[in-house]
Amino acid sequence: MKDTVTAPPAAPPAPPIADARRARVAVLVVFALAGVAFASWASRIADLKTTLGLTAGQLGLVLLAVSLGSVTGLPLAGRLSDRVGADRAVASGMLVSLLGLVGAGAAVTLDAHRLVLALFLYPVGLGIGFWDVAMNLEGAGVERRLGRSVMPHFHAAFSGGTVVAALVGAGMSWAQVPLLAHFLGAALLIAGAAVWSLPRFLPESAVPSSDEGGMPVRGRQRSAWLEPRTLLIGVVVLAAAATEGTANDWLAVALVDGYDQPEWVGVLGFAAFLTFMTLGRLAGTRALDAYGRLPVLRVSFAMAVLGALLVVLGGPWLAFVGAAVWGAGAALGFPVGMSASADDPERAAARMSVVATIGYVAFLAGPPLLGFLGDHVGVLRALLVVGALAVLALSVVTAVREPDDAP
């Protein structure tokens, strides 16, 4: 009897282009929802500081809980996405973060101790870590299926969500709406939109295995943590995340404390930053196609420095102009770094996990360091640290060069 040879099972067919287009809309929505969740919290930081009577240093330690949660979630996010799929990983992150957000609102409304608040903020960051990596991996898969660059549009959707939520937050602050009511409403909105969007993700992941956060699969390629270019891209993303995150966490507080303005004015300054960051991401795609990554990022980081200087030294009115320039300058560093980490499709997931983890160190170290510095020199002048971060980014920005342009 002849031995029968069993053919290996055929690979599942690629989703049709209609599925990819539908998934693109869904990913845009999920990125926007992430922006809504973030800015709903960030827009009320000044109110939280006033309500609980925190110093800048105490507020920095409270914000550290969010950062610790995010950094904890990032190394686990790739593994979770591999096991349950990007849609369920995003859903898990949403559930954890929104429960923490509502709990944080209750803690502030009930005037709880800041340690209680920190306990609720930790799951906010943990869920965001899952959510962030999973939606970026799904976005990379959609981008690959479509055969064209769409990642900046996803990050623009995130920024757009932050703008809308920040403007709502300014109104909530002006009307003195309790944080619990504000956060509960935001959580219900996000959950409802997620029910529509998550089932529209790609039927099967188009992203290669993340090999559990960048660790190599036995017998295959080495760890992405050992690749010099990947690590340097991570440094660029770290500096970009810190440049953006400094404004997210401290701009509203700096305008309130430094220029003796009411909380709602600080929130409007934060909204100006977010608005121009969104516009920068929308317009930046064309600039990247025309001039390439290096020239665009060099101009962007220079604009971030100029904007921060106007905020710190320009007075209350020029500070709004500075917030806008700063926002435009902070627009492209993070999405371009993520795109650069995915230049090789076979290693995209592992490298993206490494780059995201390095970048989120900024969210871990930034809030407490700015808070402690603010206790000594004032929160407004502490924002000058943005200049040092931009210099760091400019010193290693060549790592994001397109592979075809590399020497």
Side-chain angles (χ1 to χ4, degrees):
M1 178 181 294
K2 291 184 178 181
D3 293 335
T4 58
V5 178
T6 303
I17 193 66
D19 283 349
R21 289 172 178 166
R22 184 177 66 171
R24 177 178 180 271
V25 175
V27 176
L28 285 168
V29 171
V30 168
F31 267 80
L33 293 177
V36 170
F38 170 76
S40 295
W41 151 249
S43 67
R44 302 302 299 272
I45 289 176
D47 290 298
L48 178 152
K49 180 176 182 292
T50 301
T51 300
L52 298 182
L54 302 178
T55 67
Q58 290 170 339
L59 177 60
L61 288 175
V62 169
L63 297 177
L64 178 62
V66 181
S67 303
L68 285 172
S70 294
V71 172
T72 302
L74 284 168
L76 304 175
R79 182 180 303 176
L80 179 65
S81 297
D82 284 344
R83 289 185 176 180
V84 304
D87 54 348
R88 293 181 182 178
V90 169
S92 299
M94 283 184 175
L95 178 62
V96 172
S97 61
L98 294 180
L99 287 176
L101 184 66
V102 173
V108 176
T109 301
L110 297 175
D111 197 22
H113 193 275
R114 62 180 181 272
L115 292 179
V116 176
L117 174 61
L119 289 176
F120 281 111
L121 290 178
Y122 177 83
V124 172
L126 179 67
I128 287 173
F130 293 151
W131 186 348
D132 185 273
V133 171
M135 71 183 181
N136 272 285
L137 287 173
E138 179 71 12
V142 171
E143 187 173 58
R144 198 162 295 117
R145 291 295 187 190
L146 291 175
R148 57 191 175 89
S149 177
V150 293
M151 187 68 80
H153 295 162
F154 295 144
H155 287 267
F158 175 88
S159 299
T162 63
V163 171
V164 173
L167 292 174
V168 171
M172 295 286 185
S173 177
W174 174 79
Q176 298 182 341
V177 174
L179 269 69
L180 175 58
H182 180 188
F183 293 166
L184 181 59
L188 292 174
L189 172 67
I190 292 167
V195 169
W196 177 89
S197 59
L198 291 180
R200 289 166 170 77
F201 274 24
L202 289 174
E204 295 182 11
S205 175
V207 184
S209 172
S210 64
D211 44 56
E212 300 186 358
M215 298 303 294
V217 177
R218 189 181 302 275
R220 295 200 303 178
Q221 294 164 311
R222 66 175 180 170
S223 170
W225 284 100
L226 300 177
E227 298 173 350
R229 178 177 183 263
T230 299
L231 296 178
L232 290 176
I233 293 172
V235 173
V236 173
V237 170
L238 180 144
T243 302
E244 177 182 342
T246 298
N248 288 337
D249 287 337
W250 291 105
L251 181 56
V253 174
L255 294 176
V256 171
D257 290 355
Y259 292 119
D260 194 24
Q261 298 294 314
E263 282 79 6
W264 64 268
V265 172
V267 177
L268 284 180
F270 176 52
F273 170 86
L274 294 175
T275 298
F276 278 84
M277 186 167 66
T278 303
L279 294 175
R281 283 175 173 167
L282 291 173
T285 304
R286 182 173 298 178
L288 287 167
D289 289 340
Y291 304 109
R293 294 172 183 168
L294 284 182
V296 171
L297 284 194
R298 283 168 174 158
V299 172
S300 294
F301 282 116
M303 289 177 64
V305 174
L306 175 62
L309 289 174
L310 288 174
V311 169
V312 176
L313 306 174
W317 292 110
L318 277 180
F320 276 87
V321 177
V325 175
W326 185 350
L332 295 175
F334 197 95
V336 168
M338 298 300 279
S339 293
S341 71
D343 281 336
D344 178 3
E346 294 300 321
R347 298 283 286 157
R351 289 169 177 165
M352 186 180 293
S353 178
V354 171
V355 168
T357 301
I358 295 173
Y360 267 79
V361 171
F363 296 113
L364 173 65
L369 291 178
L370 263 292
F372 292 137
L373 185 59
D375 280 343
H376 291 87
V377 302
V379 174
L380 186 64
R381 292 193 176 276
L383 297 183
L384 290 172
V385 74
V386 170
L389 295 170
V391 171
L392 173 64
L394 289 170
S395 68
V396 297
V397 74
T398 54
V400 305
R401 192 195 313 264
E402 294 88 342
D404 290 343
D405 294 337

